[in-house]
Amino acid sequence: MRRSGSALAMIGGLCLAIAGTVPALAHEHPSGITDLVTPAVVRVEAVADVDITLLDHIGDLRHVERSYKVPIGSGTATVINPEGGMVTLTRVVRTDRDVRILAANKVFAEHHKVKIPADFERHRLKDDRLDHHLQDCYPPKKPTATCIIDVTTEITAFPNIAPADKEGFKAEVVRVGDRPDSPAVLAPVGRADGGAGLPTAPLATTVPAKEGSPVAVAGFTGRPAANLPETVDIAHLRAGGAGEGGRQFKDPENKVDEPRKLGALVDKGLLGGPVIEDKKGEVVGLLVGGGADARMIGVREVVKALAEADVAPGRGPIDAAFEQALTRFHTHYYGDAVPAFQRVLELYPGHTVAAAHLKTAQAKRGTAEDEATRTAAASTDAPRGAPLWPFVAGGGLLVLAVLTTAFLLWRRRPAEPGPGTGPTTAADTRPPMPDPPSVPPRPVLDEQADSTRVVSRSFPALPKLSSTVPGPVLVARDPGATGATAPPDGRPADAVQKYCTGCGMRLGHAHSFCGYCGQPTKT
């Protein structure tokens, strides 16, 4: 039990040591919510230029020429590609009211000095002759028409730049829908970007379907100015898709009447403004409605309108530089964000969001809030050179491997019983085994050809000879010799015992070499 506790403590301490060398995970990168979209929000104003010529047949023939600018609509549009392609609502740039009727009423009232309201309604006069001429002035054009009317639509876009552009740039209608709240596609007349493109807004691929999904709306309540920046407000979507009828807004906590709140913004100028998803900061739809009922048409309808107009959404170099600057800014690397925002302003000098963030980044650069300053301070405390944490981590892993191997080998070793740890067996009472006998070292061999090999083997000692007791003698019998002398004990000569002259081992009568040492017998 004690071994297990020690092992666990050792492994736990080692894990904590290694974990201390691993850098902490970076925090989640914030999206910035509206920062990617608001630079691409523009104010759109559409007016009808009506040129009317009244042919006065009463009295002397006279041609009365007038020109009127009749407002058609105003609202917010969103730039969707660097070339200046924009999306808004159809009723921002087109009206169902006939501006020719308004021009006819105005020219008649001015020339003939009669009271006719300056509106879009057809009126009657008490004077039959004047009334006849008035009715012939109203459209459509007839052979007896008393008015010649020419209408052109003029659309002006005012970008979100500082200082504000009081003139704006002209745009034309590329595609309008069949309903007032259908998406309309616009394009600038000529290049309005100065060669570097315009800031664009990213379009989402889907609309959040969850009930209460947070979004933001953006737009202008008037022409951009130093005292009139873009308006941004928050809202929440109801569950379900958008579709042609639009998707409604609803506060999950029922604290705010969001349809009425956003409807008031629509009436002030946010009509057609982008609805921005909260996480990625992408456009998920356009703001429609008004009054007490504001809704959203989804990005699917917007993409469809762009495809029918053959206008492709896209991002440009200004957007790439701006996103890099935002990454540094929102991760609090203010020192690195300063040159990044300066690069954006070089590409697009009037970029309001980049200018505002640049001012903040310059104020916080080098302070305690700057992550670059914290990193530099931490690096001064550590030794200069290569980072140490890879070596520390590698060493920790090596130590862990060695300790793990040692621990496993230790576990496999049988435990030694201590006093009182278990019963005593018969094997435990046996006496210790004696040490094995030592073996004498071999003598050094002689390298001569007739040397005898010494074998470490015991043999009986030679018998001692006495003068009174005859015994075996060392003889070398030559089988071919004659006159061999018989032994003293009277045994035949063939029965004489022979011994090796090298080691003293007994030899047989036919042995030519000693069987133990290899010494040849002497004949």
Side-chain angles (χ1 to χ4, degrees):
M1 187 68 182
R2 182 170 52 188
R3 288 187 304 171
S4 300
S6 301
L8 292 176
M10 176 180 60
I11 295 175
L14 187 58
C15 292
L16 290 175
I18 296 176
T21 63
V22 179
L25 296 177
H27 62 276
E28 184 180 357
H29 174 65
S31 64
I33 305 177
T34 62
D35 284 348
L36 294 177
V37 177
T38 51
V41 174
V42 299
R43 166 79 174 182
V44 173
E45 295 179 358
V47 298
D49 290 329
V50 184
D51 295 328
I52 184 171
T53 301
L54 173 62
L55 304 178
D56 184 7
H57 298 285
I58 302 175
D60 296 333
L61 180 61
R62 297 178 61 183
H63 291 182
V64 181
E65 298 179 354
R66 295 287 189 274
S67 294
Y68 303 106
K69 288 186 176 294
V70 181
I72 293 177
S74 62
T76 300
T78 306
V79 180
I80 49 84
N81 62 29
E83 291 75 22
M86 297 168 282
V87 291
T88 185
L89 296 182
T90 296
R91 63 183 169 120
V92 173
V93 296
R94 190 182 71 177
T95 179
D96 293 335
R97 298 178 297 183
D98 196 338
V99 296
R100 296 174 298 178
I101 296 176
L102 173 64
N105 290 335
K106 293 184 69 172
V107 71
F108 243 82
E110 293 173 2
H111 178 65
H112 293 288
K113 308 300 181 183
V114 292
K115 291 184 178 180
I116 303 176
D119 55 17
F120 298 91
E121 302 293 333
R122 298 174 184 265
H123 299 280
R124 308 289 301 198
L125 297 177
K126 295 181 179 180
D127 188 326
D128 293 339
R129 191 176 182 185
L130 287 178
D131 183 68
H132 176 74
H133 281 269
L134 176 60
Q135 301 306 317
D136 285 343
C137 186
Y138 286 141
K141 186 178 180 181
K142 299 181 291 290
T144 59
T146 57
C147 292
I148 301 174
I149 306 174
D150 184 24
V151 179
T152 58
T153 302
E154 182 179 284
I155 301 173
T156 306
F158 298 90
N160 187 10
I161 61 176
D165 184 0
K166 297 181 180 180
E167 301 295 330
F169 61 89
K170 303 301 180 183
E172 61 184 2
V173 175
V174 179
R175 186 260 187 197
V176 292
D178 54 357
R179 297 178 297 104
D181 287 337
S182 298
V185 181
L186 310 179
V189 178
R191 293 189 66 86
D193 51 19
L198 290 175
T200 68
L203 300 180
T205 56
T206 58
V207 178
K210 184 180 178 181
E211 176 77 18
S213 297
V215 293
V217 296
F220 287 98
T221 58
R223 291 186 181 182
N227 58 350
L228 186 61
E230 74 275 3
T231 298
V232 178
D233 208 336
I234 60 173
H236 301 82
L237 294 174
R238 301 197 68 170
E244 295 183 355
R247 186 166 170 181
Q248 296 178 338
F249 297 94
K250 184 178 185 299
D251 182 8
E253 299 180 357
N254 294 322
K255 295 181 178 179
V256 179
D257 186 357
E258 290 189 351
R260 184 177 297 277
K261 179 188 72 171
L262 298 180
L265 293 176
V266 168
D267 297 338
K268 291 180 180 179
L270 269 66
L271 178 65
V275 180
I276 307 166
E277 190 263 343
D278 181 65
K279 299 298 182 182
K280 298 181 180 180
E282 299 174 336
V283 177
V284 296
L286 302 180
L287 191 61
V288 301
D293 183 22
R295 289 165 286 112
M296 179 196 77
I297 60 171
V299 69
R300 182 180 302 177
E301 286 73 25
V302 174
V303 173
K304 180 181 177 182
L306 291 172
E308 293 177 354
D310 197 21
V311 175
R315 307 279 280 164
I318 298 176
D319 307 308
F322 184 55
E323 288 184 11
Q324 293 179 3
L326 282 180
T327 300
R328 292 168 172 81
F329 183 80
H330 286 297
T331 52
H332 308 296
Y333 282 86
Y334 299 111
D336 297 336
V338 169
F341 283 126
Q342 290 174 343
R343 174 57 180 165
V344 175
L345 293 174
E346 290 177 1
L347 295 173
Y348 194 71
H351 203 294
T352 57
V353 181
H357 287 341
L358 174 61
K359 185 177 180 179
T360 303
Q362 289 175 332
K364 295 184 178 182
R365 177 174 55 180
T367 65
E369 298 182 57
D370 193 346
E371 287 292 336
T373 303
R374 298 180 183 179
T375 305
S379 62
T380 55
D381 298 335
R384 296 182 181 272
L388 296 180
W389 73 265
F391 301 98
V392 175
L397 293 177
L398 181 60
V399 172
L400 178 61
V402 172
L403 293 180
T404 303
T405 303
F407 175 73
L408 294 177
L409 293 176
W410 181 53
R411 290 294 301 269
R412 294 180 59 184
R413 178 183 176 184
E416 298 179 1
T421 57
T424 302
T425 61
D428 300 331
T429 60
R430 289 181 296 181
M433 297 294 293
D435 295 335
S438 60
V439 180
R442 291 184 178 183
V444 180
L445 298 179
D446 192 357
E447 298 296 335
Q448 297 179 0
D450 60 348
S451 61
T452 303
R453 180 176 300 174
V454 178
V455 180
S456 299
R457 178 177 296 181
S458 60
F459 50 87
L462 293 176
K464 296 182 180 180
L465 299 179
S466 63
S467 59
T468 59
V469 180
V473 294
L474 299 177
V475 296
R477 186 180 64 84
D478 185 1
T482 59
T485 305
D489 55 357
R491 290 178 294 178
D494 294 338
V496 175
Q497 177 65 50
K498 295 188 297 182
Y499 293 91
C500 176
T501 59
C503 64
M505 189 64 189
R506 293 181 182 181
L507 302 176
H509 297 288
H511 287 177
S512 299
F513 296 90
C514 177
Y516 287 92
C517 67
Q519 176 72 24
T521 61
K522 296 181 179 180
T523 56

